[in-house]
Amino acid sequence: MKYRSIKGTKDILPGEIEVWQHIEGLVRQVMRSHNYHEIRTPIFESTALFARSIGELTDIVTKEMYTFRDRSDESVTLKPEGTASVLRAYIQNNLGEHASLSKLYYIGPMFRQERPQAGRLRQFHQFGAEAIGSQAPALDAEMMIIALDTYRSLGITETALKVNSVGCQRCRPHYKELLIDHLAIIASQLSAESQSRIQNNPLRVLDCKDEQDQRLLQNVPLIKDYLCQECADHFTHVLTTLDETQIEHTVDGKLVRGLDYYTKTAFEITSSALGSQDALAGGGRYDLLIEELGGKPTPGVGFAAGMERLIMVLTKQKPITFSAPLPTLYIVSADEQARHWTFQKAIELRRRGIAVEVDYLDRSVKAQMREANRLNCEFVLVIGERELTSGSGTIKNMISSAEASVSLSQLETFFA
Ligand code: AMP
């Protein structure tokens, strides 16, 4: 029996992980410069949390969640997105009491049982941010800017930002009725999927991928034209902020996104370097969600960005040449006694922060030298009976071939 990773999941191997670490480092840097603080929430949560926040009738909740009963018969779910967990943690830990505005970010794995394809996995990774406690439209823009700045710092500039407003509980119900009336007229010509959404989730009909549907939807009423005064003002403010900060964007009246919790602003960042799954990041405002999850009424806004898709764009632009960190020194052992000394010395040097490798496979001196070469070690030191007796040895620089005599008891000074 050969075990294989589960369909839609991937190993990130040495050689690849350095790219991830580099990106994660940059994300942390951008977040820090915007004063966001990292939060790590558990991989699984109670199923009800996601059903309540993402929406009972959304694709994620109805079709894609990894939900199971644990041994106490509790229904738990591997987190399909980050916001619900962050808000649960915010409420549970009374973070709102310590600061009137909480700026949080996360990086981590998410799980959705989608049909795997390029850029779509079942375990994928997102980085994202949430700003909780303010209605300021500047924060909506800040979310877009954080994502775009991260891309820019990686050299990704071929991105498109689409923005919309999906209204609030005051203006959306009226618009929904209008939309349902309009969709009812063209219902019979729409795809089966869109038809099934008309009653349950009519806004999702707007962003369906079917081309025939999109042609039929050309004259559909758009929510941005039916916003209440507050939502309209907010939207104008967000767009003005983007203009003032010279962030290129287009208003896409059909952008609604797959999660029910959004109010007012919704946005998406796409990349032409990706195929059909071209969304790099998405986000929006969720002013009612915290109250809905049992917290005090608190506005919030956030975004989430896919790591795998970001790496796909990077790899398409130019081959990524990160290599695994290399050991600085390889200590070759000529015999059994040397092997013993070498292992002890390696431990000592490693404790001082010097990257050292030794042989564990009883290899000949020649084979150990080959291994040091293969590992691209910068320095090699051969230890045999002569070196142990004299207490000194010769360190060879593998790049310049220069040699230096060193005292074995003070080896670390060579690397100081
Ligand atoms: P969402 O949480 O659906 O708004 O997704 C935010 C971002 O996460 C998307 O724009 C993608 O970049 C990424 N993403 C979402 N689902 C997947 C998936 N199944 N596989 C890989 N990336 C994904």
Side-chain angles (χ1 to χ4, degrees), residues 164-214:
N164 194 19
S165 173
V166 293
C168 67
Q169 85 279 29
R170 261 197 310 272
C171 46
R172 197 157 44 196
H174 166 66
Y175 167 74
K176 251 190 190 173
E177 276 173 30
L178 222 117
L179 178 64
I180 292 174
D181 288 350
H182 184 96
L183 294 176
I185 301 168
I186 53 170
S188 59
Q189 294 157 271
L190 289 170
S191 64
E193 196 177 4
S194 289
Q195 284 186 25
S196 71
R197 281 181 168 154
I198 293 179
Q199 284 310 322
N200 291 339
N201 209 347
L203 268 77
R204 283 312 308 277
V205 177
L206 297 180
D207 72 354
C208 89
K209 293 261 186 304
D210 189 290
E211 281 177 20
Q212 154 89 355
D213 282 9
Q214 277 307 330

Short mmCIF file of all heavy atoms in Angstrom, two decimals, residues 164-214:
data_model
loop_
_atom_site.label_atom_id
_atom_site.label_comp_id
_atom_site.label_asym_id
_atom_site.label_seq_id
_atom_site.Cartn_x
_atom_site.Cartn_y
_atom_site.Cartn_z
N ASN A 164 -17.18 47.29 -5.68
CA ASN A 164 -18.63 47.46 -5.75
C ASN A 164 -19.15 47.75 -4.34
O ASN A 164 -18.40 47.64 -3.35
CB ASN A 164 -19.28 46.17 -6.29
CG ASN A 164 -20.72 46.39 -6.72
OD1 ASN A 164 -21.16 47.52 -6.95
ND2 ASN A 164 -21.47 45.31 -6.81
N SER A 165 -20.42 48.12 -4.26
CA SER A 165 -21.06 48.18 -2.94
C SER A 165 -22.25 47.24 -3.00
O SER A 165 -23.00 47.24 -3.97
CB SER A 165 -21.54 49.59 -2.63
OG SER A 165 -22.28 49.55 -1.42
N VAL A 166 -22.39 46.41 -1.98
CA VAL A 166 -23.52 45.48 -1.96
C VAL A 166 -24.61 45.94 -0.98
O VAL A 166 -25.50 45.18 -0.62
CB VAL A 166 -23.08 44.03 -1.63
CG1 VAL A 166 -22.21 43.48 -2.75
CG2 VAL A 166 -22.34 43.96 -0.30
N GLY A 167 -24.52 47.21 -0.55
CA GLY A 167 -25.60 47.77 0.26
C GLY A 167 -25.65 47.24 1.68
O GLY A 167 -24.69 46.63 2.16
N CYS A 168 -26.77 47.47 2.32
CA CYS A 168 -26.91 47.04 3.72
C CYS A 168 -28.32 46.49 3.94
O CYS A 168 -29.09 46.37 2.99
CB CYS A 168 -26.63 48.20 4.66
SG CYS A 168 -27.88 49.49 4.55
N GLN A 169 -28.65 46.23 5.19
CA GLN A 169 -29.97 45.63 5.45
C GLN A 169 -31.11 46.60 5.15
O GLN A 169 -32.26 46.20 5.07
CB GLN A 169 -30.05 45.04 6.87
CG GLN A 169 -30.41 45.99 7.98
CD GLN A 169 -29.20 46.81 8.46
OE1 GLN A 169 -28.28 47.08 7.71
NE2 GLN A 169 -29.23 47.22 9.71
N ARG A 170 -30.77 47.88 5.00
CA ARG A 170 -31.82 48.85 4.66
C ARG A 170 -32.12 48.84 3.16
O ARG A 170 -33.27 48.78 2.75
CB ARG A 170 -31.38 50.26 5.07
CG ARG A 170 -31.97 50.72 6.40
CD ARG A 170 -31.86 52.21 6.55
NE ARG A 170 -30.50 52.68 6.27
CZ ARG A 170 -29.53 52.76 7.18
NH1 ARG A 170 -29.78 52.43 8.43
NH2 ARG A 170 -28.32 53.17 6.86
N CYS A 171 -31.07 48.90 2.35
CA CYS A 171 -31.32 49.03 0.91
C CYS A 171 -31.32 47.69 0.16
O CYS A 171 -31.94 47.58 -0.89
CB CYS A 171 -30.32 49.99 0.27
SG CYS A 171 -28.61 49.76 0.76
N ARG A 172 -30.67 46.68 0.71
CA ARG A 172 -30.55 45.43 -0.06
C ARG A 172 -31.87 44.69 -0.26
O ARG A 172 -32.15 44.19 -1.35
CB ARG A 172 -29.48 44.52 0.52
CG ARG A 172 -29.06 43.44 -0.47
CD ARG A 172 -27.71 42.88 -0.22
NE ARG A 172 -27.49 42.62 1.19
CZ ARG A 172 -26.29 42.41 1.72
NH1 ARG A 172 -25.23 42.45 0.97
NH2 ARG A 172 -26.15 42.18 3.00
N PRO A 173 -32.74 44.60 0.78
CA PRO A 173 -33.98 43.84 0.58
C PRO A 173 -34.82 44.37 -0.58
O PRO A 173 -35.32 43.61 -1.40
CB PRO A 173 -34.71 44.01 1.92
CG PRO A 173 -33.64 44.29 2.91
CD PRO A 173 -32.59 45.05 2.17
N HIS A 174 -34.90 45.70 -0.67
CA HIS A 174 -35.68 46.30 -1.75
C HIS A 174 -35.05 45.95 -3.10
O HIS A 174 -35.74 45.56 -4.06
CB HIS A 174 -35.73 47.82 -1.55
CG HIS A 174 -36.21 48.56 -2.75
ND1 HIS A 174 -37.51 48.44 -3.22
CD2 HIS A 174 -35.57 49.43 -3.58
CE1 HIS A 174 -37.63 49.21 -4.31
NE2 HIS A 174 -36.48 49.81 -4.54
N TYR A 175 -33.74 46.09 -3.17
CA TYR A 175 -33.04 45.77 -4.41
C TYR A 175 -33.22 44.29 -4.77
O TYR A 175 -33.43 43.95 -5.93
CB TYR A 175 -31.55 46.09 -4.30
CG TYR A 175 -30.75 45.49 -5.43
CD1 TYR A 175 -30.82 46.03 -6.72
CD2 TYR A 175 -29.97 44.35 -5.23
CE1 TYR A 175 -30.11 45.45 -7.77
CE2 TYR A 175 -29.26 43.77 -6.27
CZ TYR A 175 -29.34 44.32 -7.54
OH TYR A 175 -28.66 43.74 -8.58
N LYS A 176 -33.15 43.43 -3.76
CA LYS A 176 -33.29 41.99 -4.00
C LYS A 176 -34.61 41.68 -4.69
O LYS A 176 -34.67 40.89 -5.63
CB LYS A 176 -33.23 41.23 -2.67
CG LYS A 176 -31.95 40.45 -2.48
CD LYS A 176 -32.07 39.55 -1.27
CE LYS A 176 -30.74 38.94 -0.89
NZ LYS A 176 -30.77 38.21 0.36
N GLU A 177 -35.67 42.32 -4.20
CA GLU A 177 -37.00 42.10 -4.81
C GLU A 177 -36.99 42.50 -6.27
O GLU A 177 -37.49 41.80 -7.14
CB GLU A 177 -38.05 42.94 -4.07
CG GLU A 177 -38.59 42.26 -2.82
CD GLU A 177 -39.48 43.21 -2.03
OE1 GLU A 177 -40.13 44.08 -2.65
OE2 GLU A 177 -39.51 43.06 -0.79
N LEU A 178 -36.40 43.67 -6.50
CA LEU A 178 -36.32 44.19 -7.87
C LEU A 178 -35.56 43.22 -8.76
O LEU A 178 -35.95 42.94 -9.90
CB LEU A 178 -35.55 45.50 -7.79
CG LEU A 178 -36.08 46.64 -8.61
CD1 LEU A 178 -36.50 47.73 -7.63
CD2 LEU A 178 -35.02 47.16 -9.54
N LEU A 179 -34.46 42.71 -8.22
CA LEU A 179 -33.62 41.79 -8.97
C LEU A 179 -34.37 40.49 -9.26
O LEU A 179 -34.35 39.98 -10.39
CB LEU A 179 -32.34 41.50 -8.18
CG LEU A 179 -31.36 40.51 -8.80
CD1 LEU A 179 -30.79 41.06 -10.11
CD2 LEU A 179 -30.19 40.20 -7.84
N ILE A 180 -35.05 39.97 -8.24
CA ILE A 180 -35.80 38.72 -8.42
C ILE A 180 -36.87 38.91 -9.50
O ILE A 180 -37.03 38.06 -10.39
CB ILE A 180 -36.42 38.23 -7.09
CG1 ILE A 180 -35.30 37.79 -6.12
CG2 ILE A 180 -37.40 37.08 -7.32
CD1 ILE A 180 -35.75 37.42 -4.72
N ASP A 181 -37.55 40.04 -9.47
CA ASP A 181 -38.56 40.33 -10.51
C ASP A 181 -37.92 40.32 -11.89
O ASP A 181 -38.44 39.76 -12.84
CB ASP A 181 -39.21 41.71 -10.28
CG ASP A 181 -40.14 41.68 -9.08
OD1 ASP A 181 -40.42 40.57 -8.58
OD2 ASP A 181 -40.56 42.77 -8.62
N HIS A 182 -36.77 40.96 -11.98
CA HIS A 182 -36.10 41.03 -13.27
C HIS A 182 -35.64 39.63 -13.71
O HIS A 182 -35.80 39.26 -14.87
CB HIS A 182 -34.89 41.97 -13.18
CG HIS A 182 -34.20 42.17 -14.48
ND1 HIS A 182 -34.47 43.25 -15.31
CD2 HIS A 182 -33.27 41.42 -15.12
CE1 HIS A 182 -33.72 43.14 -16.40
NE2 HIS A 182 -32.98 42.03 -16.31
N LEU A 183 -35.08 38.88 -12.75
CA LEU A 183 -34.57 37.55 -13.10
C LEU A 183 -35.70 36.61 -13.49
O LEU A 183 -35.53 35.73 -14.34
CB LEU A 183 -33.76 36.96 -11.92
CG LEU A 183 -32.45 37.69 -11.58
CD1 LEU A 183 -31.80 37.07 -10.34
CD2 LEU A 183 -31.48 37.65 -12.76
N ALA A 184 -36.86 36.82 -12.88
CA ALA A 184 -38.02 35.95 -13.18
C ALA A 184 -38.36 36.03 -14.67
O ALA A 184 -38.73 35.03 -15.28
CB ALA A 184 -39.21 36.37 -12.32
N ILE A 185 -38.17 37.20 -15.26
CA ILE A 185 -38.52 37.39 -16.67
C ILE A 185 -37.60 36.57 -17.57
O ILE A 185 -38.04 35.99 -18.56
CB ILE A 185 -38.43 38.90 -17.05
CG1 ILE A 185 -39.37 39.70 -16.15
CG2 ILE A 185 -38.73 39.12 -18.52
CD1 ILE A 185 -39.16 41.21 -16.23
N ILE A 186 -36.32 36.51 -17.20
CA ILE A 186 -35.36 35.79 -18.06
C ILE A 186 -35.01 34.39 -17.53
O ILE A 186 -34.20 33.69 -18.11
CB ILE A 186 -34.05 36.62 -18.22
CG1 ILE A 186 -33.48 37.01 -16.83
CG2 ILE A 186 -34.28 37.86 -19.06
CD1 ILE A 186 -32.08 37.62 -16.92
N ALA A 187 -35.69 34.00 -16.45
CA ALA A 187 -35.33 32.76 -15.74
C ALA A 187 -35.21 31.55 -16.67
O ALA A 187 -34.23 30.79 -16.60
CB ALA A 187 -36.33 32.48 -14.63
N SER A 188 -36.17 31.38 -17.56
CA SER A 188 -36.19 30.14 -18.36
C SER A 188 -34.97 30.05 -19.27
O SER A 188 -34.59 28.96 -19.71
CB SER A 188 -37.47 30.07 -19.18
OG SER A 188 -37.53 31.20 -20.01
N GLN A 189 -34.35 31.20 -19.60
CA GLN A 189 -33.19 31.17 -20.49
C GLN A 189 -31.87 31.03 -19.71
O GLN A 189 -30.82 30.81 -20.31
CB GLN A 189 -33.13 32.46 -21.33
CG GLN A 189 -34.28 32.58 -22.31
CD GLN A 189 -34.48 34.03 -22.68
OE1 GLN A 189 -35.22 34.75 -22.00
NE2 GLN A 189 -33.83 34.47 -23.74
N LEU A 190 -31.93 31.19 -18.41
CA LEU A 190 -30.71 31.13 -17.61
C LEU A 190 -30.25 29.69 -17.39
O LEU A 190 -31.04 28.75 -17.49
CB LEU A 190 -30.94 31.81 -16.25
CG LEU A 190 -31.07 33.33 -16.23
CD1 LEU A 190 -31.53 33.82 -14.85
CD2 LEU A 190 -29.76 34.01 -16.63
N SER A 191 -28.98 29.53 -17.05
CA SER A 191 -28.46 28.19 -16.76
C SER A 191 -29.17 27.62 -15.53
O SER A 191 -29.71 28.37 -14.70
CB SER A 191 -26.96 28.27 -16.48
OG SER A 191 -26.73 29.03 -15.31
N ALA A 192 -29.12 26.29 -15.42
CA ALA A 192 -29.81 25.63 -14.30
C ALA A 192 -29.29 26.16 -12.97
O ALA A 192 -30.05 26.38 -12.02
CB ALA A 192 -29.61 24.13 -14.40
N GLU A 193 -27.95 26.40 -12.92
CA GLU A 193 -27.35 26.86 -11.67
C GLU A 193 -27.91 28.23 -11.28
O GLU A 193 -28.30 28.46 -10.13
CB GLU A 193 -25.83 26.93 -11.82
CG GLU A 193 -25.16 27.03 -10.47
CD GLU A 193 -23.65 27.01 -10.56
OE1 GLU A 193 -23.11 26.99 -11.67
OE2 GLU A 193 -23.03 27.04 -9.48
N SER A 194 -27.96 29.14 -12.25
CA SER A 194 -28.50 30.47 -11.96
C SER A 194 -29.97 30.39 -11.57
O SER A 194 -30.42 31.08 -10.65
CB SER A 194 -28.33 31.39 -13.16
OG SER A 194 -26.98 31.71 -13.33
N GLN A 195 -30.70 29.53 -12.28
CA GLN A 195 -32.13 29.39 -11.95
C GLN A 195 -32.31 28.98 -10.49
O GLN A 195 -33.15 29.51 -9.78
CB GLN A 195 -32.78 28.33 -12.84
CG GLN A 195 -33.05 28.86 -14.24
CD GLN A 195 -33.82 27.85 -15.09
OE1 GLN A 195 -34.53 27.01 -14.55
NE2 GLN A 195 -33.68 27.96 -16.39
N SER A 196 -31.45 28.04 -10.08
CA SER A 196 -31.61 27.54 -8.71
C SER A 196 -31.25 28.60 -7.67
O SER A 196 -31.63 28.51 -6.51
CB SER A 196 -30.75 26.29 -8.50
OG SER A 196 -29.40 26.67 -8.46
N ARG A 197 -30.52 29.63 -8.11
CA ARG A 197 -30.10 30.65 -7.16
C ARG A 197 -31.10 31.80 -7.03
O ARG A 197 -30.99 32.60 -6.09
CB ARG A 197 -28.75 31.24 -7.58
CG ARG A 197 -27.60 30.34 -7.20
CD ARG A 197 -26.30 30.97 -7.60
NE ARG A 197 -25.18 30.25 -7.00
CZ ARG A 197 -23.97 30.22 -7.52
NH1 ARG A 197 -23.73 30.85 -8.64
NH2 ARG A 197 -23.00 29.57 -6.92
N ILE A 198 -32.01 31.89 -7.98
CA ILE A 198 -32.88 33.08 -8.01
C ILE A 198 -33.57 33.32 -6.68
O ILE A 198 -33.59 34.44 -6.17
CB ILE A 198 -33.90 32.99 -9.17
CG1 ILE A 198 -33.14 33.07 -10.50
CG2 ILE A 198 -34.93 34.12 -9.09
CD1 ILE A 198 -34.00 32.97 -11.74
N GLN A 199 -34.13 32.28 -6.10
CA GLN A 199 -34.85 32.49 -4.85
C GLN A 199 -33.92 32.54 -3.64
O GLN A 199 -34.06 33.38 -2.76
CB GLN A 199 -35.90 31.38 -4.63
CG GLN A 199 -37.15 31.54 -5.48
CD GLN A 199 -37.77 32.94 -5.41
OE1 GLN A 199 -37.81 33.57 -4.36
NE2 GLN A 199 -38.26 33.44 -6.54
N ASN A 200 -32.95 31.63 -3.62
CA ASN A 200 -32.11 31.49 -2.42
C ASN A 200 -31.03 32.56 -2.29
O ASN A 200 -30.78 33.04 -1.19
CB ASN A 200 -31.42 30.13 -2.43
CG ASN A 200 -32.41 29.03 -2.20
OD1 ASN A 200 -33.50 29.28 -1.68
ND2 ASN A 200 -32.06 27.83 -2.62
N ASN A 201 -30.40 32.86 -3.40
CA ASN A 201 -29.22 33.72 -3.34
C ASN A 201 -29.13 34.53 -4.63
O ASN A 201 -28.17 34.42 -5.39
CB ASN A 201 -27.99 32.80 -3.20
CG ASN A 201 -26.86 33.48 -2.45
OD1 ASN A 201 -26.88 34.69 -2.26
ND2 ASN A 201 -25.87 32.71 -2.06
N PRO A 202 -30.15 35.39 -4.88
CA PRO A 202 -30.25 36.02 -6.21
C PRO A 202 -29.04 36.87 -6.59
O PRO A 202 -28.68 36.94 -7.76
CB PRO A 202 -31.51 36.90 -6.09
CG PRO A 202 -31.78 37.05 -4.64
CD PRO A 202 -31.22 35.84 -3.98
N LEU A 203 -28.38 37.47 -5.59
CA LEU A 203 -27.22 38.30 -5.94
C LEU A 203 -26.10 37.49 -6.59
O LEU A 203 -25.37 37.98 -7.44
CB LEU A 203 -26.68 39.02 -4.69
CG LEU A 203 -27.27 40.41 -4.46
CD1 LEU A 203 -28.67 40.35 -3.89
CD2 LEU A 203 -26.38 41.25 -3.56
N ARG A 204 -25.99 36.22 -6.18
CA ARG A 204 -24.95 35.37 -6.76
C ARG A 204 -25.17 35.08 -8.24
O ARG A 204 -24.24 34.70 -8.95
CB ARG A 204 -24.82 34.04 -6.01
CG ARG A 204 -24.12 34.01 -4.68
CD ARG A 204 -22.79 34.73 -4.63
NE ARG A 204 -21.79 34.38 -5.64
CZ ARG A 204 -20.98 33.37 -5.57
NH1 ARG A 204 -21.01 32.55 -4.55
NH2 ARG A 204 -20.08 33.15 -6.51
N VAL A 205 -26.39 35.25 -8.71
CA VAL A 205 -26.65 35.05 -10.15
C VAL A 205 -25.79 36.05 -10.94
O VAL A 205 -25.29 35.75 -12.01
CB VAL A 205 -28.15 35.26 -10.48
CG1 VAL A 205 -28.41 35.12 -11.97
CG2 VAL A 205 -29.00 34.25 -9.70
N LEU A 206 -25.61 37.23 -10.37
CA LEU A 206 -24.92 38.31 -11.09
C LEU A 206 -23.49 37.97 -11.46
O LEU A 206 -23.01 38.38 -12.51
CB LEU A 206 -24.90 39.59 -10.23
CG LEU A 206 -26.27 40.20 -9.92
CD1 LEU A 206 -26.09 41.45 -9.06
CD2 LEU A 206 -26.99 40.55 -11.20
N ASP A 207 -22.78 37.24 -10.59
CA ASP A 207 -21.37 36.99 -10.91
C ASP A 207 -21.13 35.57 -11.40
O ASP A 207 -20.03 35.04 -11.30
CB ASP A 207 -20.45 37.37 -9.75
CG ASP A 207 -20.55 36.40 -8.56
OD1 ASP A 207 -21.41 35.51 -8.61
OD2 ASP A 207 -19.74 36.53 -7.63
N CYS A 208 -22.18 34.95 -11.97
CA CYS A 208 -21.98 33.59 -12.49
C CYS A 208 -21.09 33.65 -13.72
O CYS A 208 -21.02 34.66 -14.41
CB CYS A 208 -23.31 32.91 -12.77
SG CYS A 208 -23.89 33.20 -14.42
N LYS A 209 -20.38 32.56 -13.96
CA LYS A 209 -19.36 32.56 -15.02
C LYS A 209 -19.93 32.24 -16.41
O LYS A 209 -19.27 32.44 -17.42
CB LYS A 209 -18.27 31.53 -14.68
CG LYS A 209 -17.43 31.90 -13.45
CD LYS A 209 -16.13 32.53 -13.89
CE LYS A 209 -15.13 32.84 -12.81
NZ LYS A 209 -15.48 33.64 -11.72
N ASP A 210 -21.17 31.74 -16.46
CA ASP A 210 -21.77 31.31 -17.72
C ASP A 210 -21.92 32.50 -18.70
O ASP A 210 -22.53 33.52 -18.36
CB ASP A 210 -23.15 30.70 -17.41
CG ASP A 210 -23.75 30.01 -18.62
OD1 ASP A 210 -24.15 30.74 -19.57
OD2 ASP A 210 -23.82 28.79 -18.62
N GLU A 211 -21.37 32.33 -19.91
CA GLU A 211 -21.36 33.47 -20.84
C GLU A 211 -22.75 33.86 -21.32
O GLU A 211 -23.09 35.03 -21.43
CB GLU A 211 -20.48 33.15 -22.06
CG GLU A 211 -19.01 33.33 -21.73
CD GLU A 211 -18.10 32.95 -22.89
OE1 GLU A 211 -18.58 32.92 -24.05
OE2 GLU A 211 -16.92 32.67 -22.62
N GLN A 212 -23.55 32.81 -21.61
CA GLN A 212 -24.94 33.06 -22.06
C GLN A 212 -25.70 33.81 -20.96
O GLN A 212 -26.40 34.79 -21.24
CB GLN A 212 -25.58 31.70 -22.37
CG GLN A 212 -27.07 31.62 -22.25
CD GLN A 212 -27.75 31.98 -23.57
OE1 GLN A 212 -27.09 32.37 -24.53
NE2 GLN A 212 -29.07 31.87 -23.61
N ASP A 213 -25.51 33.40 -19.71
CA ASP A 213 -26.16 34.09 -18.59
C ASP A 213 -25.71 35.54 -18.54
O ASP A 213 -26.51 36.46 -18.38
CB ASP A 213 -25.79 33.43 -17.25
CG ASP A 213 -26.58 32.14 -17.03
OD1 ASP A 213 -27.26 31.70 -17.97
OD2 ASP A 213 -26.50 31.59 -15.91
N GLN A 214 -24.42 35.75 -18.72
CA GLN A 214 -23.90 37.13 -18.63
C GLN A 214 -24.49 38.01 -19.72
O GLN A 214 -24.78 39.18 -19.48
CB GLN A 214 -22.37 37.13 -18.70
CG GLN A 214 -21.69 36.85 -17.36
CD GLN A 214 -22.16 37.76 -16.22
OE1 GLN A 214 -22.55 38.91 -16.42
NE2 GLN A 214 -22.16 37.25 -15.01
#
